[in-house]
Amino acid sequence: DDDDYDGGGNGMASKKVYIALVRGDWTEFYDDDSITVTKPLGVDGVEKECTTIFTKLASVDTPGSHNDDDAKRPVTTACTLVKVSPQTGRTHQIRRHAYAMGMPILGDTQH
């Protein structure tokens, strides 16, 4: 894929890797520390194959808003820190695949 060529003259492809915080406790959804999501995404009205590898790095609880019943006690939200390795480069691929696996990117308001 030409999008993956590193331009360094050695003919090797470079793959981008990202770190993301996704909503949800990984262990509630998955037994393995790494999963591969292969789901076609619509690009300019055409469905194109794309693949993303998500790898669990750590589970964390983030403070959320205060509980209405007890304003002194914050609500926590289970989150998972993941390494994301898109194997293809489609528009919004990471956020759409994270949403599809039931763990949207924290703070993403579109998906």
Side-chain angles (χ1 to χ4, degrees):
D1 190 344
D2 291 336
D3 293 338
D4 295 331
Y5 180 66
D6 70 359
N10 61 10
M12 297 187 62
S14 66
K15 293 289 183 182
K16 294 180 180 179
V17 176
Y18 302 89
I19 303 297
L21 191 59
V22 295
R23 186 182 318 266
D25 181 356
W26 184 279
T27 58
E28 289 182 18
F29 292 91
Y30 304 103
D31 294 327
D32 296 329
D33 284 345
S34 184
I35 66 158
T36 301
V37 176
T38 301
K39 180 177 173 22
L41 298 175
V43 178
D44 297 327
V46 177
E47 291 287 313
K48 294 188 177 184
E49 280 296 316
C50 56
T51 301
T52 307
I53 300 169
F54 292 87
T55 304
K56 175 188 164 195
L57 298 177
S59 292
V60 296
D61 283 329
T62 60
S65 60
H66 289 284
N67 185 333
D68 290 337
D69 297 332
D70 183 1
K72 295 179 183 171
R73 186 181 59 177
V75 174
T76 59
T77 303
C79 296
T80 304
L81 188 66
V82 293
K83 177 176 79 170
V84 185
S85 304
Q87 304 301 294
T88 49
R90 308 286 182 236
T91 302
H92 303 297
Q93 175 178 328
I94 294 170
R95 60 199 318 183
R96 291 169 70 187
H97 276 180
Y99 181 82
M101 66 184 228
M103 300 183 77
I105 293 176
L106 197 63
D108 184 2
T109 58
Q110 290 186 358
H111 297 91

